[in-house]
C-alpha cells in the first residue's frame, strides 16, 4: 500500500481496510438475545457508537498520540511494557510517516467515514444500524458479518502489506478494551494540543514533546536503577 503524505487524505480503499480491521479487532460479541433484525443473522460482533470507532481510529492514525497515551498509562502503572511500546513508536519515524491527521469537532477527533463504510457495506462485510427515534439518531452501531470476519482472516494470511495496520489496530484494541467512546474521548482530551485545536481544524502533532517525555522517563528509570 502506498503511504499518503502527512496531512494528505487517505484513499477510500485505505480507509475501508483500516476501518474493517478496527471493527474486527474491537467488536464485542453479539448480545443475547440478538437484535430482531433479519439482516443481522450472520453478524458475529458489534462496535457500539461512532464516537468509539472515531476515537480508536484517531490512535491508529496518530502514532504520536498513541505513544503519549502509553506513556501516561506507564506513569500510572509503572508497567515496563508500556514504556517499551511507546519507545518502539517514538524511536522510529512512525509518528511522521504514518500520521494521518484528523479534524477536531465538538466530540473530539472526527473524519467522515461514509465512503469507507459504503465500501464495506456494499461488500457485505459490515452492517451499520442507527438507534434512536425518527428524526433523532442517538448512536450508530457497526456489526461485523461472518463475511467480514473471513475477509479479515484472509488479509492476515495473504496481505503482509497490511501488517503494520494489523499490529497497530490490535495494540489500540487492547488499549481501549472495556472503555466506551466517552471514556476514550476524555483520555484524548488530556493532551493540550488536542484539546486546544480549534473546532474544524486538524489536530497537530505532539511527536517532539512526546519524545522528550520518553527521554525523561527513561532517565528516571536509569537513575532509579543506580540508586
Amino acid at each position: 500500500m502506498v503511504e499518503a503524505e502527512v496531512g494528505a487524505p487517505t484513499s477510500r480503499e485505505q480507509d475501508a481496510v483500516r476501518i474493517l480491521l478496527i471493527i474486527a479487532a474491537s467488536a464485542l460479541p453479539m448480545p443475547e438475545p440478538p437484535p430482531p433484525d433479519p439482516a443481522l443473522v450472520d453478524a458475529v460482533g458489534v462496535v457500539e457508537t461512532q464516537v468509539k470507532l472515531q476515537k480508536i481510529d484517531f490512535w491508529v492514525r496518530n502514532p504520536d498520540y498513541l505513544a503519549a497515551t502509553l506513556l501516561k498509562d506507564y506513569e500510572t502503572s509503572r508497567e515496563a511494557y508500556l514504556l517499551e511500546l511507546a519507545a518502539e513508536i517514538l524511536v522510529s519515524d512512525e509518528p511522521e510517516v504514518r500520521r494521518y491527521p484528523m479534524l477536531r469537532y465538538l466530540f473530539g477527533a472526527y473524519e467522515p467515514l461514509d465512503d469507507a463504510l459504503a465500501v464495506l457495506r456494499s461488500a457485505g462485510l459490515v452492517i451499520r444500524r442507527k438507534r434512536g427515534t425518527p428524526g433523532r439518531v442517538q448512536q450508530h452501531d457497526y456489526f461485523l458479518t461472518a463475511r467480514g470476519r473471513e475477509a479479515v482472516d484472509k488479509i492476515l494470511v495473504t496481505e503482509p502489506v497490511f501488517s503494520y495496520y494489523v499490529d497497530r489496530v490490535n495494540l489500540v484494541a487492547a488499549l481501549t478494551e472495556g472503555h466506551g467512546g466517552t471514556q476514550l474521548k476524555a483520555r484524548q482530551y488530556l493532551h493540550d494540543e488536542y484539546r486546544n485545536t480549534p473546532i474544524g481544524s486538524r489536530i497537530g502533532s505532539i511527536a517532539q514533546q512526546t519524545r522528550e517525555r520518553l527521554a525523561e522517563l527513561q532517565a528516571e528509570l536509569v537513575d532509579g536503577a543506580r540508586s
Side-chain angles (χ1 to χ4, degrees):
M1 181 176 58
V2 177
E3 291 291 337
E5 295 181 3
V6 174
T10 52
S11 72
R12 187 183 189 189
E13 291 72 22
Q14 283 178 312
D15 289 339
V17 172
R18 190 183 68 254
I19 295 302
L20 177 62
L21 292 172
I22 289 173
I23 291 173
S26 306
L28 297 172
M30 290 294 291
E32 290 292 344
D37 184 339
L40 299 178
V41 66
D42 291 327
V44 297
V46 58
V47 173
E48 297 180 338
T49 82
Q50 183 176 172
V51 173
K52 181 167 185 175
L53 185 58
Q54 294 275 4
K55 300 304 163 276
I56 293 174
D57 194 27
F58 175 78
W59 271 324
V60 174
R61 291 171 54 142
N62 293 270
D64 49 346
Y65 283 90
L66 173 58
T69 300
L70 291 168
L71 292 181
K72 284 186 178 294
D73 288 353
Y74 167 76
E75 291 178 65
T76 300
S77 69
R78 295 294 163 172
E79 294 182 274
Y81 81 96
L82 295 169
L83 189 67
E84 293 166 2
L85 288 170
E88 287 178 11
I89 295 171
L90 294 168
V91 300
S92 72
D93 60 1
E94 186 179 328
E96 285 75 35
V97 302
R98 298 285 189 175
R99 187 172 75 91
Y100 297 97
M102 292 176 70
L103 297 167
R104 182 189 167 229
Y105 280 106
L106 292 174
F107 297 101
Y110 172 84
E111 281 290 319
L113 299 177
D114 290 346
D115 286 350
L117 288 168
V119 173
L120 300 177
R121 292 165 64 191
S122 65
L125 309 181
V126 169
I127 298 171
R128 181 176 65 184
R129 285 292 180 264
K130 300 176 182 179
R131 281 201 243 173
T133 56
R136 188 170 185 269
V137 176
Q138 293 178 322
Q139 75 176 54
H140 293 87
D141 296 330
Y142 305 90
F143 293 88
L144 179 71
T145 66
R147 188 173 180 181
R149 176 64 70 188
E150 290 172 1
V152 169
D153 291 343
K154 184 176 180 180
I155 289 171
L156 298 179
V157 173
T158 65
E159 300 292 342
V161 70
F162 292 117
S163 61
Y164 166 80
Y165 286 102
V166 172
D167 291 343
R168 280 294 162 262
V169 164
N170 287 339
L171 173 57
V172 175
L175 185 67
T176 59
E177 185 176 5
H179 299 281
T182 300
Q183 292 172 302
L184 301 184
K185 179 181 71 172
R187 293 177 75 181
Q188 292 175 1
Y189 267 104
L190 293 174
H191 303 291
D192 291 341
E193 180 75 32
Y194 184 110
R195 184 176 60 254
N196 295 330
T197 297
I199 292 175
S201 298
R202 294 203 175 274
I203 299 168
S205 172
I206 57 170
Q208 179 177 346
Q209 53 265 52
T210 305
R211 287 185 172 116
E212 291 170 356
R213 184 57 183 151
L214 171 66
E216 292 171 355
L217 291 171
Q218 289 174 327
E220 289 175 9
L221 197 60
V222 172
D223 291 342
R226 289 173 177 168
S227 60

